Amino acid sequence: MREGWSTAGITALGELLSPSRLTGTAARMSVQLFLVVCLWHALYSDTETSGGLDEGQAVAYGVLAVLALRLRDTDRWIGRDMVIQQIEFGTIVYWFLRPLAPWRYYLRRAVGDQLYGFAWAAAGYVVCLLAGVMDPPASAGAAGAFAVTFLLGQSVLYYLVLLTDQMCFWAVRNDSAVEILQFAQNLLSGGYAALWYFPGWFQTMSALLPFQATLSVPLSFYVGRLPVDDLPRHLAVQLFWVVSLAALTRLVWRRAEHRVVSQGG
Amino acid sequence: MTARESEFAIEARGLVKTFRTARRRPGALGMLRALVAPERVSTTAVADVSFSVGHGQLLALLGPNGAGKSTTIKMLTGILTPSAGRASVMGIVPYRERVRNARNIGAVFGQRTQLWWDLPARESFRILRDIYGVADGDYRSRMREFDDLLELSSFWDTRVRHLSLGQRVRCDLAAALLHDPPVVFLDEPTIGMDVVVKEQVRLLLRDQVERRGQTVLLTTHDMTEVERLAERVVLINHGHIVLDGTLAEIRTRFGSGWRVNATLVQTEPATGRCPPGLRVVRQDGARVIFEPDGTDGVAPPQALKRVIDRYEVTDIHIQESDLEDVMRAAYLDDRADRELDGELDGETVA
């Protein structure tokens, strides 16, 4: 038990030991939230409804998107702790020298990072709610549907990020893949703007990819744009992605274990 | 077979490791060809390595850069799977049972740190304590022990990113030994460190072997380290074992054991009129180094007399040949053998 918490808390501990980083995170979140709220209020100044969302729903969606993106926004680069860095510096060998399988270590670190990010997001959510910046969930059912689909959405996102990290075992660098993933994730998950504003063909295309399940679905339940009755269908889609990606990444881990080559001898 | 039931702590039998890489020819056409139809080549890093290390023994695995030392260690630690052959560490095949093997071994790879860069070193120790499941009491006593030998407490609350190389390597050694593993692999642990820190590391290793009975496999280019620590040496070159024996045996086989250092009154080429039974190893102006040429088994006092009889000298003394010379002789011997076998292709030995 203690082993799990120790490993999961590595990123959070590094951040908590750096007051300047905490201040920076708080300032960045505040600025992002302020700008997003201003943007959506301005966009709705001449219209009441767009893409099936009213102003209150649009602002709540935008604020939640900013907070949700914070969940995976912890900075591991400065700690030389990205998979790409571990492979480049040759320190990845130590992942294979401990009585903790690399996939388990990676999972614990990711869960810890997401819980740490969740603490920030939850704090931001409470502040925004108390300040009247955004509305609460559309209903109790919507809140429940949001919670379940948000959890599964984070699982899908975990596997997508893991896949790009696993690429490093073959390609050494994964910068391009990460850039593509980040752009696709932010656009196709509805992180930049809700998918409801996009044309039908775009929504159909994004429905075929896993990104929509990570953010658009849970946030749409929260603001009441998706009826709670649709929950089983969306849960089935999310579970499909979780199971498929879990199987794929497990397979890739097995292959990666035979690909460990530390640079420079 | 359990750990202590196995006769050896470490056993390597016919280890081979071949890497498959894509070869790119120079130029734009070569790049295009590599994209369309990449040419795959096999590089053999370890060709056929067999040796064993007994429990509580400290073995130095030596060899020039690219000889196959690190690849051998990576197979023995379970990081790499051999292309052929078999390895066993404390009765466990390391690459088949990585997690089980991990509890039996500790490892330090040169300047690569296993500590978390963004955390104070002591936090890394705590995380490793939890990963390895070390009891609190054992952890405290181990840390006290390491602090006594390596003076860690003066910097263990500093973030790893701010530690000097010497401080970091000392912390890495403590991290590798924290769970008291019976077998320790050290791949050039003291590279780039100053003499004081090197001595601290040597003391720690000596202590681990003599008091705790740990088995240590060490690679290094530092011959002082080898002389101070190793009971046995395995010399590896081009993925093959060149020799395996105690330091005394190696000195007998490849070293003359002694040399005559003389300073001549007049600077003259000494090679032409070398005393019988001796040959010139090196001449730097008036300073000349002679060693026995192996023809008549000359003893050191006779050699001194022969040099004095042949030249006018201002200074002369006998010097024991150092390990570096012995190793160079062993490499050259291996090179000569391989040249005879037609295996070498324009390679140089420093």
Side-chain angles (χ1 to χ4, degrees), chain B residues 178-329:
Chain B
L178 191 63
H179 56 292
D180 200 11
V183 178
V184 183
F185 294 94
L186 304 169
D187 191 5
E188 298 183 36
T190 56
I191 191 168
M193 286 160 66
D194 66 50
V195 285
V196 178
V197 177
K198 276 184 179 181
E199 197 51 40
Q200 279 181 317
V201 171
R202 285 171 198 151
L203 279 174
L204 174 80
L205 294 180
R206 193 37 70 214
D207 178 71
Q208 296 298 308
V209 172
E210 286 175 356
R211 200 166 54 82
R212 303 192 79 93
Q214 283 175 329
T215 306
V216 177
L217 180 58
L218 166 81
T219 78
T220 181
H221 290 289
D222 184 334
M223 291 305 144
T224 313
E225 204 154 272
V226 176
E227 283 188 301
R228 297 257 180 95
L229 290 171
E231 296 134 22
R232 204 179 118 212
V233 168
V234 167
L235 192 62
I236 187 169
N237 201 10
H238 295 282
H240 293 273
I241 288 187
V242 176
L243 62 89
D244 179 349
T246 63
L247 279 179
E249 286 167 354
I250 289 163
R251 277 184 194 284
T252 309
R253 187 171 157 199
F254 292 101
S256 57
W258 52 266
R259 284 172 170 183
V260 178
N261 282 17
T263 306
L264 310 184
V265 173
Q266 288 177 333
T267 305
E268 56 177 312
T271 321
R273 42 195 293 259
C274 200
L278 295 174
R279 68 173 164 223
V280 175
V281 178
R282 198 161 48 234
Q283 179 164 15
D284 182 13
R287 291 162 74 176
V288 189
I289 300 172
F290 302 92
E291 70 176 7
D293 63 7
T295 52
D296 66 353
V298 61
Q302 290 170 294
L304 284 175
K305 190 172 180 306
R306 287 180 195 179
V307 172
I308 292 166
D309 287 348
R310 181 64 54 98
Y311 310 98
E312 266 190 89
V313 299
T314 56
D315 181 40
I316 189 164
H317 64 273
I318 294 285
Q319 184 198 20
E320 290 280 314
S321 60
D322 60 26
L323 195 54
E324 215 148 303
D325 297 325
V326 176
M327 290 303 161
R328 190 180 296 117

Side-chain angles (χ1 to χ4, degrees), chain A residues 126-140:
Chain A
V126 170
V127 169
C128 289
L129 211 57
L130 292 176
V133 171
M134 63 183 287
D135 296 330
S139 65

Side-chain angles (χ1 to χ4, degrees), chain A residues 265, chain B residues 15-19 44-46 61 66-77 79-82 109 187 219 236:
Chain B
L15 282 184
V16 176
K17 185 66 191 176
T18 306
F19 294 103
T44 303
V46 173
L61 185 62
K69 309 183 295 290
S70 295
T71 305
T72 303
I73 283 202
K74 280 177 193 145
M75 287 190 276
L76 293 171
T77 49
I79 296 166
L80 295 177
T81 306
F109 286 94
D187 191 5
T219 78
I236 187 169

Side-chain angles (χ1 to χ4, degrees), chain A residues 2-3 6-7 10 13-14 17-18 21 78-81 89-91 93-94 96-101 105 109 257-258 260 262-265, chain B residues 19 70 74 77 79-81 98-99 102-103 105 107-109 112-114 116-120 123 127-132 134 136 159 161:
Chain A
R2 190 166 73 171
E3 169 205 338
S6 279
T7 317
I10 290 169
L13 187 60
L17 289 167
S18 302
R21 271 190 240 167
I78 198 163
R80 287 192 178 186
D81 214 7
F89 297 131
T91 46
V93 293
Y94 293 110
F96 294 85
L97 289 174
R98 294 176 185 144
L100 180 65
Y105 173 76
R109 293 294 311 276
E257 283 179 9
H258 296 284
V260 189
S262 67
Q263 309 298 305
Chain B
F19 294 103
S70 295
K74 280 177 193 145
T77 49
I79 296 166
L80 295 177
T81 306
R98 275 177 170 156
V99 172
R103 296 204 176 273
I105 64 164
V108 174
F109 286 94
R112 290 170 190 155
T113 183
Q114 73 158 312
W116 284 270
W117 196 245
D118 211 21
L119 300 180
E123 293 297 341
I127 294 164
L128 289 169
R129 171 198 66 189
D130 295 342
I131 288 176
Y132 284 95
V134 179
D136 285 343
R159 277 174 195 254
R161 65 169 68 252

